[in-house]
Amino acid sequence: SANLNVVSSNLNQYPSTSTKYQQPLQSQSRTTSTRTTYLFLYSVHIKQNITMNSNITLNSRRGQSSPQRQQGRQAAQSWRTVIFLICAFCTGIFFERASNPCVFDDFIVQTKTAKDKNDGNLRSNSLPQKQSAAAAALSSSGPQDQNEKMRQWDNWPAIAYEEVQHALVTKGDSFFNQARELYYQKTQQPNNNNNDKQQQTLMDEFLKVYKNRPDQTNLCGIRINHALALFLAVKQINPTLVVESGVNAGVSTYIIRAASPTTKIFAIDPLAKPICGQGKRWVDPSDLTTNYWGENFTDLLDLDWKGMIAKKEVDPASTLVFLDDHLHTYNRIAGVRKLGIRHVVVEDNYKLGEGATPFDKKSTPKQMFHGEKWKKEGDWLFDNTVAYAEFPPLVPPIMAAAFKGKRKEAGGFMVAADDNKDIVHPMLRPDLNEDDMKLYAHVADTLGYDAALVDNESYMQFMNYNQICHLELKSDEEKTTIDN
């Protein structure tokens, strides 16, 4: 409860930021536009009444009007008033519709499927008129023109388009889109103390795993948002093999093994020891893990895939590739697709202009989909995926309102001042929902962090987010063309 009070107090210090998405911007502009139109017309109406009343009084004084004539004029004036108010109302509607066409889209039925009920509504009532059909198309079960599809969430400014050349792109149906539902739905689990069963969520299971991770800080590796994504991917795909390109301190290997005790793991890293002074690398004791690092290093695309596939040692259709190597991501995705591999998770999915290495700045799926100079690559990648989705951060950037540090130039971290137009709706909204605040505080307390994110360690854990994404690649044997 103490953490809840601290976080609430911090959010109250930033009312313009923490509440700026509580009311759709269109509603605000609608109110302003309507008031302006009605006030203008009403002022004209008042002016006319004053003029008419003055004329009646003046004529009466001049003896030009009998009482009967004045009554007739007053009756006519009343009818003029009624007619004018009707005209004013209709004129106001006309100007409102012209200046803000989205206002009258409120009648469009909001779509909220069972899959998406915890990730925010797919809605079209706050979209411009030309986009309303597109939002409806995404919610439709029938085949639609993918250039007319988009996803939008309540109380969140981002729009995810099902086409390239946008800051936020989505395609198809990925389990990442149902992250909240999958993590918080309750299942019956055996109770170790007796024969009864107790309810437990996947989040409960994850927190036990993450709390006992081998490197608590993992300075140059995944933290809670990306660990949640990797853990869910392994649980949902249930791969027979996970190829991990980029091991560093071994925390991601630990997460993969915790998510599946039966999958084989290829752990690939050119270095024998972790960088960033992270000490000793965690090594999976399972004989199902093969370590291709140090002297045994073999790159992802240099493994004997043809031989292993021919011997049925690996099944590409049930293989998951986890890319955390800061190399040319686009080329590596295209390379594994040639092998028939269907699933790829990209850990460092940098935005345009961001990146820790030269390849980071010109090869991520998010950059290929958004950047004009990579439109050819973006089109190819989009056309050759069945599904693409970015995993949602656990909480929105506004939860870091009390943090006084600066934004990391390379990217990969959220800050309270973010406009949130290029990231998906978070799993939890503790800034708007009291129950979500309790869920968030539980996560922070369980892991031993400050929910207010004042200190650097707590901030880094919850605000480290780099649009980690899942791609389900097409299974056909189409040729791959790459222009480096």
Side-chain angles (χ1 to χ4, degrees):
S1 60
N3 280 338
L4 288 176
N5 292 333
V6 171
V7 175
S8 298
S9 175
N10 288 331
L11 288 177
N12 290 335
Q13 295 176 14
Y14 298 83
S16 62
T17 306
S18 61
T19 62
K20 66 180 178 180
Y21 301 124
Q22 294 186 30
Q23 181 181 10
L25 297 179
Q26 290 84 354
S27 297
Q28 298 174 9
S29 63
R30 173 182 63 187
T31 303
T32 303
S33 176
T34 303
R35 287 175 178 173
T36 302
T37 303
Y38 289 165
L39 285 174
F40 170 75
L41 293 173
Y42 187 67
S43 66
V44 174
H45 172 63
I46 294 298
K47 182 178 180 181
Q48 289 179 345
N49 281 344
I50 293 174
T51 302
M52 292 172 65
N53 288 334
S54 298
N55 290 336
I56 291 173
T57 302
L58 180 61
N59 291 336
S60 178
R61 287 176 179 175
R62 291 175 178 175
Q64 296 177 359
S65 177
S66 65
Q68 292 80 6
R69 180 175 295 180
Q70 290 183 25
Q71 292 177 0
R73 287 177 176 175
Q74 289 176 354
Q77 178 187 345
S78 298
W79 279 108
R80 289 193 196 98
T81 301
V82 173
I83 295 171
F84 181 85
L85 288 176
I86 294 174
C87 294
F89 178 75
C90 295
T91 304
I93 292 178
F94 173 80
F95 280 112
E96 175 65 11
R97 184 62 173 172
S99 62
N100 192 8
C102 66
V103 171
F104 297 92
D105 291 336
D106 286 332
F107 298 103
I108 298 176
V109 177
Q110 296 186 17
T111 302
K112 189 175 185 180
T113 64
K115 290 183 179 180
D116 297 312
K117 66 179 180 179
N118 290 317
D119 286 327
N121 293 332
L122 300 181
R123 61 189 177 91
S124 55
N125 61 311
S126 63
L127 297 177
Q129 185 179 24
K130 65 180 181 180
Q131 297 177 354
S132 298
L138 181 63
S139 64
S140 174
S141 58
Q144 300 287 339
D145 185 348
Q146 60 189 13
N147 290 329
E148 294 182 350
K149 299 179 183 178
M150 62 184 68
R151 178 187 294 267
Q152 189 172 14
W153 301 266
D154 286 336
N155 299 317
W156 193 250
I159 300 176
Y161 294 87
E162 193 153 341
E163 62 180 7
V164 298
Q165 296 297 287
H166 295 284
L168 184 58
V169 171
T170 187
K171 185 178 182 180
D173 185 21
S174 169
F175 48 85
F176 273 9
N177 292 329
Q178 290 85 48
R180 174 173 175 142
E181 180 181 17
L182 293 172
Y183 262 112
Y184 281 101
Q185 63 184 1
K186 293 183 178 180
T187 58
Q188 298 292 335
Q189 300 291 335
N191 192 325
N192 294 330
N193 298 327
N194 50 57
N195 294 327
D196 296 334
K197 292 186 177 181
Q198 58 183 358
Q199 289 189 331
Q200 180 175 305
T201 66
L202 185 61
M203 182 62 76
D204 295 328
E205 180 182 348
F206 170 81
L207 290 177
K208 292 177 182 178
V209 170
Y210 195 70
K211 186 175 182 178
N212 295 311
R213 64 197 182 281
D215 188 321
Q216 293 292 300
T217 300
N218 201 23
L219 187 60
C220 291
I222 63 173
R223 296 184 180 87
I224 187 167
N225 287 312
H226 292 193
L228 282 164
L230 180 59
F231 192 75
L232 184 64
V234 176
K235 286 286 189 180
Q236 288 294 305
I237 298 171
N238 192 24
T240 56
L241 169 65
V242 178
V243 184
E244 176 193 14
S245 184
V247 176
N248 199 37
V251 175
S252 50
T253 313
Y254 165 81
I255 296 294
I256 295 167
R257 178 54 66 211
S260 175
T262 60
T263 186
K264 293 192 292 185
I265 299 175
F266 290 172
I268 302 173
D269 198 296
L271 302 179
K273 297 180 180 180
I275 61 175
C276 301
Q278 290 187 238
K280 189 177 180 180
R281 172 177 292 162
W282 185 83
V283 180
D284 185 12
S286 172
D287 58 5
L288 293 175
T289 295
T290 304
N291 297 309
Y292 292 98
W293 39 264
E295 295 181 354
N296 297 323
F297 170 69
T298 304
D299 186 58
L300 163 67
L301 298 178
D302 292 331
L303 293 171
D304 183 18
W305 288 103
K306 291 184 178 180
M308 291 187 293
I309 293 173
K311 297 175 184 178
K312 299 187 181 302
E313 296 176 349
V314 301
D315 176 16
S318 62
T319 293
L320 167 63
V321 171
F322 176 59
L323 295 177
D324 187 15
D325 52 23
H326 297 271
L327 297 176
H328 201 290
T329 305
Y330 171 79
N331 285 355
R332 295 173 87 70
I333 293 173
V336 299
R337 182 189 170 279
K338 286 182 178 180
L339 303 170
I341 291 174
R342 299 290 307 281
H343 295 280
V344 179
V345 170
V346 178
E347 199 262 340
D348 290 301
N349 190 22
Y350 285 100
K351 304 176 185 179
L352 278 181
E354 296 182 351
T357 71
F359 283 135
D360 286 343
K361 299 177 181 179
K362 59 179 181 181
S363 68
T364 70
K366 196 171 184 70
Q367 293 164 352
M368 299 298 101
F369 289 146
H370 190 193
E372 178 65 31
K373 63 180 178 180
W374 296 301
K375 187 177 185 305
K376 182 177 180 180
E377 290 84 351
D379 286 339
W380 180 91
L381 187 59
F382 191 85
D383 291 342
N384 284 279
T385 57
V386 176
Y388 170 83
E390 297 173 13
F391 187 83
L394 182 64
V395 295
I398 188 58
M399 301 311 296
F403 181 69
K404 303 303 181 183
K406 296 181 180 180
R407 180 192 300 273
K408 187 178 178 181
E409 291 185 7
F413 285 85
M414 301 183 293
V415 296
D418 287 345
D419 62 17
N420 303 322
K421 293 181 179 180
D422 52 7
I423 64 173
V424 297
H425 186 278
M427 287 176 60
L428 303 178
R429 291 303 302 273
D431 55 323
L432 301 180
N433 185 283
E434 184 178 350
D435 290 335
D436 279 11
M437 176 66 87
K438 293 177 181 179
L439 292 174
Y440 167 53
H442 171 69
V443 172
D445 290 344
T446 300
L447 299 177
Y449 294 110
D450 176 19
L453 308 185
V454 176
D455 64 288
N456 189 63
E457 184 63 27
S458 298
Y459 165 80
M460 291 177 68
Q461 276 296 330
F462 288 95
M463 292 293 111
N464 179 204
Y465 175 70
N466 211 6
Q467 301 78 234
I468 183 171
C469 65
H470 165 243
L471 301 96
E472 181 181 352
L473 304 176
K474 288 185 176 179
S475 60
D476 56 44
E477 299 299 326
E478 295 174 359
K479 292 183 179 180
T480 303
T481 301
I482 305 174
D483 292 329
N484 293 321

Short mmCIF file of all heavy atoms in Angstrom, two decimals, residues 337-338 380 383-384 474-480:
data_model
loop_
_atom_site.label_atom_id
_atom_site.label_comp_id
_atom_site.label_asym_id
_atom_site.label_seq_id
_atom_site.Cartn_x
_atom_site.Cartn_y
_atom_site.Cartn_z
N ARG A 337 14.51 -18.01 -42.99
CA ARG A 337 13.31 -18.34 -43.73
C ARG A 337 13.61 -19.31 -44.88
O ARG A 337 12.81 -20.19 -45.20
CB ARG A 337 12.64 -17.08 -44.28
CG ARG A 337 11.34 -17.38 -45.03
CD ARG A 337 10.80 -16.18 -45.76
NE ARG A 337 9.72 -16.58 -46.63
CZ ARG A 337 9.88 -17.12 -47.84
NH1 ARG A 337 11.09 -17.30 -48.31
NH2 ARG A 337 8.84 -17.48 -48.57
N LYS A 338 14.78 -19.17 -45.49
CA LYS A 338 15.18 -20.11 -46.55
C LYS A 338 15.25 -21.54 -46.03
O LYS A 338 15.05 -22.49 -46.78
CB LYS A 338 16.55 -19.70 -47.09
CG LYS A 338 16.57 -18.48 -47.97
CD LYS A 338 17.98 -18.23 -48.48
CE LYS A 338 18.06 -17.05 -49.41
NZ LYS A 338 19.44 -16.80 -49.90
N TRP A 380 9.09 -6.75 -48.72
CA TRP A 380 9.42 -8.19 -48.77
C TRP A 380 9.13 -8.85 -47.43
O TRP A 380 8.52 -9.92 -47.36
CB TRP A 380 10.89 -8.39 -49.14
CG TRP A 380 11.25 -9.85 -49.20
CD1 TRP A 380 11.20 -10.67 -50.29
CD2 TRP A 380 11.69 -10.67 -48.10
NE1 TRP A 380 11.58 -11.95 -49.94
CE2 TRP A 380 11.88 -11.97 -48.61
CE3 TRP A 380 11.93 -10.43 -46.76
CZ2 TRP A 380 12.32 -13.03 -47.81
CZ3 TRP A 380 12.36 -11.49 -45.95
CH2 TRP A 380 12.54 -12.77 -46.48
N ASP A 383 5.38 -9.07 -46.79
CA ASP A 383 4.74 -10.05 -47.67
C ASP A 383 5.08 -11.49 -47.29
O ASP A 383 4.33 -12.41 -47.62
CB ASP A 383 5.12 -9.80 -49.13
CG ASP A 383 4.53 -8.51 -49.68
OD1 ASP A 383 3.56 -8.00 -49.07
OD2 ASP A 383 5.05 -8.01 -50.69
N ASN A 384 6.21 -11.68 -46.63
CA ASN A 384 6.66 -13.04 -46.30
C ASN A 384 6.42 -13.41 -44.84
O ASN A 384 7.02 -14.36 -44.34
CB ASN A 384 8.14 -13.20 -46.65
CG ASN A 384 8.35 -13.35 -48.15
OD1 ASN A 384 8.20 -14.44 -48.70
ND2 ASN A 384 8.69 -12.26 -48.82
N LYS A 474 6.18 -17.15 -43.49
CA LYS A 474 5.45 -18.04 -44.39
C LYS A 474 6.23 -19.32 -44.61
O LYS A 474 7.46 -19.35 -44.59
CB LYS A 474 5.20 -17.34 -45.73
CG LYS A 474 4.16 -16.23 -45.64
CD LYS A 474 3.84 -15.64 -47.02
CE LYS A 474 2.73 -14.61 -46.92
NZ LYS A 474 2.42 -14.01 -48.24
N SER A 475 5.51 -20.37 -44.87
CA SER A 475 6.14 -21.67 -44.99
C SER A 475 6.39 -22.10 -46.43
O SER A 475 6.95 -23.17 -46.66
CB SER A 475 5.23 -22.73 -44.33
OG SER A 475 3.97 -22.77 -44.97
N ASP A 476 6.02 -21.26 -47.40
CA ASP A 476 6.22 -21.66 -48.79
C ASP A 476 7.70 -21.59 -49.17
O ASP A 476 8.54 -21.11 -48.40
CB ASP A 476 5.37 -20.79 -49.74
CG ASP A 476 5.65 -19.32 -49.56
OD1 ASP A 476 6.82 -18.93 -49.45
OD2 ASP A 476 4.69 -18.54 -49.53
N GLU A 477 8.03 -22.00 -50.34
CA GLU A 477 9.43 -22.06 -50.80
C GLU A 477 9.73 -20.95 -51.80
O GLU A 477 10.58 -21.13 -52.69
CB GLU A 477 9.69 -23.42 -51.46
CG GLU A 477 9.48 -24.61 -50.54
CD GLU A 477 10.42 -24.57 -49.35
OE1 GLU A 477 11.56 -24.09 -49.51
OE2 GLU A 477 10.01 -25.00 -48.26
N GLU A 478 9.11 -19.81 -51.66
CA GLU A 478 9.38 -18.69 -52.55
C GLU A 478 10.84 -18.26 -52.43
O GLU A 478 11.44 -18.33 -51.35
CB GLU A 478 8.46 -17.51 -52.21
CG GLU A 478 6.99 -17.79 -52.47
CD GLU A 478 6.12 -16.64 -51.98
OE1 GLU A 478 6.71 -15.68 -51.44
OE2 GLU A 478 4.90 -16.74 -52.12
N LYS A 479 11.38 -17.76 -53.50
CA LYS A 479 12.76 -17.32 -53.49
C LYS A 479 12.89 -16.03 -52.68
O LYS A 479 12.00 -15.20 -52.67
CB LYS A 479 13.28 -17.10 -54.92
CG LYS A 479 13.40 -18.38 -55.72
CD LYS A 479 13.99 -18.09 -57.09
CE LYS A 479 14.14 -19.38 -57.88
NZ LYS A 479 14.71 -19.15 -59.23
N THR A 480 14.02 -15.86 -52.04
CA THR A 480 14.30 -14.70 -51.24
C THR A 480 15.28 -13.81 -51.95
O THR A 480 16.36 -14.25 -52.37
CB THR A 480 14.88 -15.11 -49.88
OG1 THR A 480 13.97 -15.98 -49.22
CG2 THR A 480 15.13 -13.89 -49.00
#
